Amino acid sequence: MPKDGGIGASTKRREDIRFLTGNGNYTDDINLRGQAYVFFLRSDVAHGRLNKVDTSDAEGMPGVVRIFTGKDFEGIGGLPCGWQVTDRFGEVMQEPGHPVLAQGKVRHVGDPIAAVVAETYAQARDAAEAIVLDIEELPAVVDMKKALEEGAPKVHDELKSNLCYDWGFVEENKAAVNEAFEAAAHVTTLELINNRLVANPMEPRVAVGDFNRSTGDSTLYTTSQNPHVIRLLMGAFVLGIPEHKLRVVAPDVGGGFGSKIFHYAEEAFCTFAAKALNRPVKWTCSRSEAFMTDAHGRDHVTKIELALDADNNFTAVRTDTHANMGAYLSTFAPSVPTWLHGTLMAGNYKTPLIYVNVKAVFTNTVPVDAYRGAGRPEATFQLERVIDKAARELGVDPIALRRQNFITQFPYATPVAVEYDTGDYHATMDKLEEIADFKGFDARRQDSAAKGKLRGLGINCYIEACGIAPSNLVGQLGARAGLYESATVRVNATGGLVVMTGSHSHGQGHETSFAQVVAEMIGIDANMIEIVHGDTANTPMGMGTYGSRSIAVGGSAMVRATEKIINKAKKIAAHLMEASDADIELKDGKFSVAGTDKSVAWGDVTLAAYVPHNYPLADIEPGLEETAFYDPSNFTYPSGAYACEVEVDPETGRVTIERFSAADDFGNIINPMIVSGQVHGGIGQGIGQALLESCVYDENGQLQTGSYMDYAMPRADDVPFYQVDHSCQTPCTHNPLGVKGCGEAGAIGSPPAVVNAVIDALQRSGRNITHIDMPLSPSRVWQAMQG
């Protein structure tokens, strides 16, 4: 059994005390003396030429401090893209400018045109309504395939076309893949849509800019998953502020799901305006603004083909995808449908040949970027849906078909350039069959039939790549930043520790789980350890939190820094006990000399480090503080198997999820309770995508789902109680904790399980329905049942 507060213990989250008692400190809680408020006037057309912005009437309205337009940002850098993709012809992607405020054109509904700074938010909003705009509306392009047609309206006039890039991977496999399809005994083809989503974290985005004229220092308080990256991007590429003169603070953050990774125009504006006005400037996003300014997720249209031989072995996979970039390139957008998607198309299977083609397209819509899973859910959905369809066409059991094609030997080099170090896909499927009670399905189906409902069972297997790495490799693939993580461990004289990390928390429980890791290594109470994050002024340079990287990369940096602390402390302990440091052991917070009864407590050694009376300074300098940077050598590869049971009402098409089971392999587990919570949350979001959520634009680029009146978020009665298990553990072999990451798994594995279950229910009722695009709303399911 794990020790209280150590690795493996389901310790309650320490941060929840302040959250549940209303004592959290969010960005909107920050109010600086003398601050002004900003309201952004945004475009209400999707595409137009900005002929004139007349602010004369608005400038004289009560409380107005200043009105900014695109002219104020001429000569200032636009928002940078953090990843450059090279296409299959060796050409770099088309990369248009992304101004802070619109210059010349507006390119999506919500594009900021002017920013009114006033004494109050209401005054800023009222003044914005008095601004007169002359916008020559232009034809908008929303459909990706139409955007690539000859003569289509161009989102960016300076570009050759609306095609950002045409990416092929692995290009040298293409001919062999085509030959495999020609020779296949059976080919299954499926065309599908991965619907566009709005992240909708509980806390909307907020930015507060401040400037200290006496020092020339700028400070930005913002809702961010990676404050150091925001400082780097905004300082170096937008506003030209040296990093030592720019501080970025991300306090408590109420959810992100990827949407708060990126650098946004509002952050740059508030920082710029604070200096220009010599007073703090604050912006708080409304929920309506969030729908048309936060980066959206997914939005792929794909044709996938699976080739099988006469024995039902997978021989090749071929995909053709159109990926929506929106009107501009968000920070990491180009990497999502390419390196975070194409490299996962092997899934859990030993398919020898794979070719992935992705065409990234500009449209007059909100930019699209990473959303929980980022590329991996899209890959898994394609693969697991086409495998299910193949099983039905072949008349074989879908679980048996998957088991037959599972990878069983590790490490395994896939044909899409990644190497899985460990895994046991049969074990997770065995566990799933146990916890999901497949044997009882027929009885449950009969019970549903007695109520006039159709019951279906859907299963899914997934593999995820977490902790994207290493920096030298991703740099060759186009990343414009390193992907390491950092930690500084400072030990106080009385034995307590402060751990400063570049990994930011926005709901994951870092303050609890990170403390558990360090407490386990030293053998002390986790309450003696404080975790500090979110402020570039007092944390080492780190790349932030996304891609399920926090414990695998950030935790590993903490391990390395703590190891340095322990090694130095052992030398001090050796001097205190007049022994060789090679003979010193640390266990349960006590140093001892191997083979003797000599010992000294952790606190005595740490005190000696700062009051060095008992050992020579020539050998060891005072103090106990160490920093480590960790750059992983490979991704980690969590995997799992999910099962969903649904009831479908044939009268209305309404789908109800009755049971959901998840068996995951996350490697070693730090805090089982937190891991279960992460899986629960991810499954909830995956169910939302499968059944309810869809961001829709009309043909003119008007957002049709701009509020909760039209965008259906899952509620408590839309999800069941989950049966989750993560006892199938194959530890990662290349990080010191053996961990793999868990934050995105539920969102990756659940959508195909839900869709497979609905298709199963309809097919068992005698209806020859092979696919319905997400979300499987009652109207879509009902229409499919009508033929």
Side-chain angles (χ1 to χ4, degrees):
M1 293 293 291
K3 294 180 296 185
D4 290 344
I7 291 177
S10 289
T11 304
K12 290 183 178 179
R13 300 188 349 160
R14 62 169 72 174
E15 49 267 71
D16 286 350
I17 295 173
R18 70 176 185 273
F19 296 148
L20 295 173
T21 57
N23 290 308
N25 182 38
Y26 297 90
T27 308
D28 198 44
D29 294 322
I30 296 171
N31 293 291
L32 305 179
R33 183 179 179 181
Q35 75 185 15
Y37 298 82
V38 61
F39 181 90
F40 289 94
L41 177 63
R42 300 182 183 278
S43 175
D44 59 2
V45 301
H47 194 200
R49 187 163 287 108
L50 196 57
N51 294 325
K52 186 177 182 181
V53 181
D54 185 353
T55 65
S56 55
D57 290 342
E59 287 169 352
M61 292 186 68
V64 172
V65 177
R66 181 173 167 182
I67 299 176
F68 295 81
T69 67
K71 289 183 178 180
D72 294 291
F73 287 86
E74 291 177 355
I76 293 176
L79 305 185
C81 178
W83 199 296
Q84 183 183 73
V85 166
T86 301
D87 72 12
R88 61 195 184 96
F89 306 106
E91 299 292 328
V92 297
M93 67 188 188
Q94 294 200 95
E95 188 172 357
H98 186 177
V100 175
L101 295 177
Q103 298 177 3
K105 284 179 72 174
V106 290
R107 295 181 174 87
H108 67 87
V109 171
D111 214 355
I113 298 172
V116 181
V117 180
E119 299 295 343
T120 70
Y121 177 81
Q123 290 172 329
R125 181 187 58 206
D126 291 345
E129 292 178 358
I131 296 175
V132 178
L133 299 177
D134 178 3
I135 299 178
E136 176 189 347
E137 190 167 357
L138 302 171
V141 60
V142 175
D143 182 276
M144 287 185 281
K145 293 184 179 180
K146 290 182 179 179
L148 298 182
E149 293 177 356
E150 187 175 351
K154 286 200 292 185
V155 179
H156 295 272
D157 296 337
E158 69 274 20
L159 301 186
K160 295 179 291 185
S161 68
N162 291 320
L163 180 67
C164 178
Y165 56 75
D166 182 352
W167 185 78
F169 190 71
V170 174
E171 194 67 22
E172 50 265 34
N173 286 354
K174 188 174 182 179
V177 168
N178 292 339
E179 290 174 6
F181 274 91
E182 291 293 328
H186 182 86
V187 173
T188 294
T189 301
L190 183 61
E191 296 188 32
L192 51 84
I193 294 173
N194 208 292
N195 41 322
R196 180 185 280 236
L197 303 175
V198 182
N200 279 305
M202 185 177 292
E203 178 201 24
R205 291 189 296 115
V206 183
V208 183
D210 192 18
F211 179 70
N212 187 328
R213 176 170 288 181
S214 64
T215 64
D217 292 341
S218 293
T219 301
L220 170 69
Y221 301 90
T222 184
T223 46
S224 175
Q225 297 175 217
N226 48 0
H228 283 280
V229 173
I230 301 304
R231 183 181 69 164
L232 174 65
L233 295 177
M234 188 175 72
F237 299 103
V238 186
L239 302 181
I241 304 173
E243 283 188 86
H244 69 284
K245 305 302 287 183
L246 175 60
R247 177 188 178 198
V248 176
V249 182
D252 289 328
V253 174
F257 314 119
S259 69
K260 293 176 182 171
I261 300 172
F262 322 119
H263 178 38
Y264 288 96
E266 296 85 1
E267 294 169 321
F269 174 81
C270 288
T271 307
F272 176 86
K275 182 177 181 179
L277 302 174
N278 193 33
R279 63 185 294 187
V281 175
K282 181 174 184 177
W283 171 74
T284 299
C285 184
S286 69
R287 186 60 65 178
S288 296
E289 278 185 294
F291 272 94
M292 58 183 180
T293 63
D294 290 6
H296 292 168
R298 315 288 192 245
D299 205 353
H300 289 188
V301 177
T302 297
K303 176 182 178 182
I304 181 171
E305 299 168 283
L306 173 65
L308 302 93
D309 66 17
D311 296 320
N312 295 340
N313 297 308
F314 301 164
T315 59
V317 166
R318 183 168 59 193
T319 73
D320 181 30
T321 291
H322 287 73
N324 205 334
M325 294 288 100
Y328 302 101
L329 290 179
S330 181
T331 306
F332 292 113
S335 68
V336 174
T338 52
W339 300 109
L340 299 182
H341 159 241
T343 53
L344 268 293
M345 284 309 303
N348 307 62
Y349 311 103
K350 52 189 177 185
T351 312
L353 291 166
I354 298 173
Y355 179 71
V356 178
N357 178 244
V358 177
K359 296 176 178 66
V361 185
F362 292 112
T363 63
N364 292 115
T365 62
V366 171
V368 178
D369 209 319
Y371 171 73
R372 199 169 191 169
R376 288 90 86 196
E378 295 89 322
T380 298
F381 186 73
Q382 296 168 32
L383 196 56
E384 291 299 309
R385 282 293 297 119
V386 79
I387 291 172
D388 235 51
K389 186 169 185 276
R392 297 188 186 283
E393 291 173 351
L394 294 167
V396 299
D397 178 70
I399 294 178
L401 182 61
R402 286 173 168 86
R403 284 187 180 273
Q404 176 181 336
N405 286 280
F406 276 161
I407 297 163
T408 55
Q409 300 293 321
F410 295 90
Y412 177 80
T414 75
V416 278
V418 293
E419 181 174 282
Y420 306 159
D421 61 327
T422 61
D424 190 339
Y425 310 143
H426 283 289
T428 51
M429 184 61 79
D430 291 343
K431 178 57 69 173
L432 180 69
E433 294 197 38
E434 173 191 328
I435 65 175
D437 184 25
F438 289 170
K439 293 180 180 179
F441 173 74
D442 286 337
R444 294 191 293 273
R445 180 169 174 257
Q446 291 173 13
D447 290 342
S448 296
K451 298 184 294 182
K453 304 292 179 63
L454 311 177
R455 196 177 190 102
L457 170 64
I459 61 101
N460 163 73
C461 297
Y462 79 88
I463 189 165
E464 181 188 1
C466 296
I468 182 171
S471 293
N472 64 338
L473 173 60
V474 297
Q476 296 173 39
L477 303 181
R480 289 166 166 165
L483 290 171
Y484 53 83
E485 201 44 76
S486 61
T488 295
V489 177
R490 177 182 298 155
V491 184
N492 299 319
T494 52
L497 292 88
V498 178
V499 179
M500 293 155 279
T501 172
S503 296
H504 189 274
S505 178
H506 49 281
Q508 296 90 337
H510 290 176
E511 292 172 35
T512 301
S513 55
F514 286 169
Q516 288 179 254
V517 170
V518 178
E520 176 80 12
M521 294 180 68
I522 298 172
I524 58 176
D525 192 310
N527 290 322
M528 295 177 65
I529 301 165
E530 179 184 2
I531 306 297
V532 176
H533 58 89
D535 187 342
T536 61
N538 59 23
T539 57
M541 177 71 177
M543 291 294 106
T545 298
Y546 43 84
S548 301
R549 72 192 302 269
S550 299
I551 195 65
V553 187
S556 294
M558 290 180 202
V559 169
R560 294 297 184 231
T562 305
E563 287 173 342
K564 293 180 180 180
I565 291 288
I566 291 172
N567 289 337
K568 182 175 179 179
K570 283 183 176 180
K571 294 179 180 179
I572 297 172
H575 279 280
L576 294 176
M577 292 184 286
E578 298 180 336
S580 168
D581 55 325
D583 296 329
I584 302 299
E585 298 174 344
L586 173 61
K587 184 177 181 182
D588 297 331
K590 184 170 65 175
F591 295 92
S592 60
V593 181
T596 75
D597 58 359
K598 286 185 176 182
S599 66
V600 61
W602 166 258
D604 293 333
V605 173
T606 61
L607 181 62
Y610 290 93
V611 187
H613 294 165
N614 296 317
Y615 62 88
L617 290 177
D619 295 340
I620 309 170
E621 63 184 25
L624 275 176
E625 181 173 330
E626 298 288 349
T627 296
F629 286 76
Y630 179 78
D631 197 343
S633 60
N634 193 2
F635 292 92
T636 68
Y637 298 98
S639 61
Y642 287 9
C644 177
E645 287 187 31
V646 300
E647 280 187 345
V648 180
D649 185 340
E651 298 295 324
T652 65
R654 183 172 188 268
V655 176
T656 304
I657 296 181
E658 298 297 314
R659 296 166 66 95
F660 201 103
S661 304
D664 295 290
D665 175 4
F666 297 133
N668 293 334
I669 304 295
I670 304 301
N671 187 312
M673 181 178 66
I674 289 178
V675 168
S676 294
Q678 287 288 301
V679 176
H680 287 187
I683 293 173
Q685 286 185 291
I687 289 172
Q689 177 175 14
L691 297 183
L692 299 159
E693 299 182 50
S694 184
C695 181
V696 179
Y697 285 89
D698 71 10
E699 61 183 7
N700 297 314
Q702 291 295 325
L703 183 61
Q704 302 294 288
T705 50
S707 75
Y708 292 145
M709 294 292 291
D710 304 296
Y711 188 92
M713 293 283 285
R715 299 174 298 182
D717 60 356
D718 292 312
V719 298
F721 285 98
Y722 309 120
Q723 179 72 29
V724 302
D725 179 275
H726 31 77
S727 62
C728 299
Q729 298 174 9
T730 60
C732 176
T733 60
H734 53 76
N735 68 56
L737 290 167
V739 294
K740 294 186 176 182
C742 67
E744 298 164 296
I748 295 169
S750 52
V754 174
V755 176
N756 287 344
V758 174
I759 299 300
D760 181 67
L762 300 180
Q763 293 233 338
R764 287 177 187 269
S765 68
R767 296 171 171 85
N768 186 27
I769 298 171
T770 59
H771 182 70
I772 304 173
D773 277 321
M774 299 185 292
L776 276 65
S777 61
S779 61
R780 284 188 176 183
V781 175
W782 186 87
Q783 288 173 358
M785 288 191 293
Q786 307 316 304

